Every structure is written in C-alpha cells, then in structure tokens.
Amino acid sequence: MAACMFLAQGLSLPRPANLSAFASSSSSSSSSLFNPLSHALPQPRARRRSLAPRGVVPVSCALRALVFDCDGVILESEHLHRQAYNDAFAHFGVRCSDRPLNWGLEFYDELQNRIGGGKPKMRWYFKEHGWPSSSVFEKPPESDEDRAKLIDTLQDWKTERYKDIIRSGTVKPRPGVLRLMDEAKAAGKKLAICSAATKSSVILSLENLIGMERFQGLDCFLAGDDVKEKKPDPSIYLNAAKKLGVSRTECLVVEDSVIGLQAATSAGMSCVISYTSSTAKQDFKEAIAIYPDLGNVRLKDLELLLQSVVAAK
C-alpha cells in the first residue's frame, strides 16, 4: 500500500517541511501594497485527536463511489486564483485604506484555508478591513445592494481571468489523479467531482485537465453554484451521494484542505487528504489517510483502507 498515515492505526504523521519560505512575494516587492497579517483571520478550534472521522456510521465497507474535490486535488490552483484576484483588484483600481489591494502569498494561503468560495472571501475581507473604493464605486459602498454589486463585479472578472490562465496550457493535473480516475471507472465505481468554485471555471479546468471524455463520463458533477452553503457545510457531498444513488458510508472523498475535510466528515463520509504546499500544516486528524499527492496511490489501496477503517469500529 502507498505510504501514508492511517489515523485509525495510531501512526504519527511525518510533519512537512517548514513552509515559512512561502512568504508573500508581492509584499516584498512593494511596500505600498496592502497585505495584512494572517493573524486577523478566524482560527480553527483545536481539538483532541480522534481515531475515526466525525459522523461516519459503519454500514458498509464497500467502496462504491470515489469523490474528488477540484482545486488543490485535481490541480494545484490556489496560486492561480490569487493571481486572478490580484489582477481583478488592479483592473478595477481597488484600494483599501487608500492603498492598492494585493493579497500576498502567505496571507492568501491562510485566507483560502479558512474561508471557502470567492465571494465569501471578499465579503469577509472587506467586512474586516473596510469596504474599498474602486472604479466600480468611487467611494466605498454603504448599502447591501452596492456591496453585492461590487463583489459580483470583481468575482465575474476574476473568473474570466482565471479561465484565461487555465486556457494557456501551462497548468497540469496533480500526480496520480487521472490514473486513479481511470482505475475507478474500469472497476465499475461511481466517480464524482464536487467543488466549491464557480461552475464555469470548474468546467473549464476539467475540460482542459482531465479531458472531455473523462469529464462527460462523470456520474456526478457539482459546483458552488449548485448549493446554497459552501464547504465546510456538507450540502454538496450530501447532494452528491443522493445523485450517485449510494450511501454516504460507501463514498470516499479526496480533499486537500481542512475545509473540505470538515464538509466530507460532516456528511458522514470517510475522507483522505492529498495536501498541497499551502495546506500541509493543517490539522487533518479526522482524515483516514494523508498523502503528499496521489502518485503512488492505487484504487486497491483505497478499498482496503476503507475496509480497515470500518472493521476497526
């Protein structure tokens, strides 16, 4: 079986290298850019290590559906999203405290690991640091309607910019993802992708990274547009199980962040983590296995893993 950590067996996770080197390049290049400290972000509550994923009730140990997140799992995309947001802020002349808004690397890593979805990110940020001036509104918007218009305008432009980056052909899928998808389909498993991102941008990413044949062969595809609440709310995974026609305990979710992990376990699903450089230091105690990527992970590994977790209960 591929090297990983099985929490149910009590093994310790080898800690990744210090990620402090991933500092904001933008903050070092210009002192005029507004890049607040990450300690302002809401912090997750520390909890004691659990031997089993929260909310999972052992009904069946058979793996019938493999469910992937998109951003961070299929592609390492957060630096691309950050670039697109900063391009949108520059395009619309967004200024906070009379300084150009630019989200630095270290700050954005913290932000995207705490708050899911683009619009909620901006809404939280502007609520905490003040609503900005821009070419959309010369003065900071005060009404809920104007604030919603500003966020919608920024998000729409950011989404189109992100699509341009994906279309450039420079972005590749993460190791092992395509092989694992193909193994699952060949074995007759249900295959789903559930992303909190905007549907149009996810579709473009999937068409370019996994190909049209795999994309059209999905048994279920859900994006942030399809649910009222974003991850860590479990709605997207609960809806996926219903559409797939399988029980929640027969699903195995592949996520990269604690937000996605919380969504999966709150839905009563087991979850494995394929972490990225920006999520490696997060607390994944509720995952049943943790991998640096899926390069050495086989479908049989995941089937045996799910069986061992259920058998241990």
Side-chain angles (χ1 to χ4, degrees):
M1 184 177 293
C4 66
M5 181 187 81
F6 298 88
L7 296 184
Q9 296 174 350
L11 299 181
S12 61
L13 172 64
R15 286 297 175 185
N18 192 325
L19 297 181
S20 61
F22 293 92
S24 168
S25 58
S26 61
S27 61
S28 61
S29 61
S30 173
S31 60
S32 64
L33 299 180
F34 189 39
N35 184 19
L37 297 177
S38 60
H39 70 261
L41 292 162
Q43 299 298 315
R45 183 176 60 187
R47 284 177 281 185
R48 295 180 61 86
R49 179 174 295 274
S50 171
L51 295 180
R54 171 176 43 133
V56 177
V57 179
V59 176
S60 170
C61 63
L63 174 58
R64 294 185 59 198
L66 193 57
V67 186
F68 291 85
D69 180 29
C70 183
D71 289 338
V73 173
I74 295 175
L75 71 158
E76 195 159 355
S77 57
E78 294 309 326
H79 66 292
L80 306 178
H81 283 290
R82 184 179 73 90
Q83 176 185 339
Y85 277 118
N86 285 336
D87 289 347
F89 298 152
H91 178 78
F92 290 101
V94 177
R95 300 176 68 87
C96 285
S97 300
D98 203 33
R99 287 175 288 181
L101 177 58
N102 185 287
W103 283 344
L105 178 58
E106 186 176 357
F107 173 78
Y108 188 76
D109 279 350
E110 292 290 332
L111 179 64
Q112 63 95 11
N113 288 330
R114 299 287 181 261
I115 302 173
K119 292 181 181 181
K121 283 182 177 68
M122 287 189 285
R123 185 169 293 279
W124 176 86
Y125 184 90
F126 295 144
K127 182 179 179 180
E128 290 292 316
H129 301 283
W131 287 84
S133 61
S134 65
S135 61
V136 181
F137 294 103
E138 184 177 351
K139 295 182 178 180
E142 296 182 356
S143 70
D144 291 343
E145 181 179 357
D146 286 347
R147 289 175 174 179
K149 179 180 178 180
L150 174 62
I151 288 177
D152 288 345
T153 300
L154 292 172
Q155 183 66 30
D156 289 347
W157 197 95
K158 176 265 176 184
T159 298
E160 293 306 311
R161 174 61 181 136
Y162 181 80
K163 291 179 182 179
D164 289 340
I165 297 172
I166 296 296
R167 290 191 192 101
S168 69
T170 60
V171 184
K172 304 298 180 184
R174 294 191 69 196
V177 171
L178 301 186
R179 174 188 44 73
L180 196 53
M181 286 184 174
D182 292 344
E183 287 182 5
K185 291 298 287 186
K189 310 297 183 185
K190 299 291 183 71
L191 193 61
I193 292 177
C194 295
S195 172
T198 305
K199 175 166 280 189
S200 60
S201 66
V202 181
I203 290 175
L204 182 69
S205 295
L206 296 177
E207 289 177 346
N208 281 270
L209 293 170
I210 72 173
M212 285 299 297
E213 183 176 352
R214 289 188 186 90
F215 178 54
Q216 293 176 351
L218 293 174
D219 298 290
C220 175
F221 165 58
L222 295 174
D225 312 53
D226 297 313
V227 290
K228 291 182 178 180
E229 300 294 334
K230 304 279 189 179
K231 301 175 185 178
D233 186 271
S235 298
I236 195 165
Y237 287 126
L238 293 173
N239 289 352
K242 185 176 181 180
K243 288 179 177 292
L244 291 169
V246 299
S247 72
R248 292 172 286 175
T249 55
E250 294 170 325
C251 297
L252 183 60
V253 177
V254 184
E255 275 282 1
D256 72 300
S257 71
V258 71
I259 287 179
L261 172 62
Q262 290 170 352
T265 56
S266 294
M269 299 179 183
S270 294
C271 180
V272 300
I273 291 293
S274 173
Y275 61 80
T276 67
S277 59
S278 66
T279 65
K281 294 176 69 176
Q282 293 184 11
D283 184 0
F284 296 127
K285 63 178 176 290
E286 293 183 347
I288 63 173
I290 301 171
Y291 306 97
D293 59 51
L294 301 174
N296 294 318
V297 181
R298 301 283 175 172
L299 179 65
K300 189 63 176 178
D301 298 331
L302 300 181
E303 290 181 302
L304 293 173
L305 176 60
L306 187 60
Q307 291 172 9
S308 68
V309 170
V310 173
K313 295 182 183 296

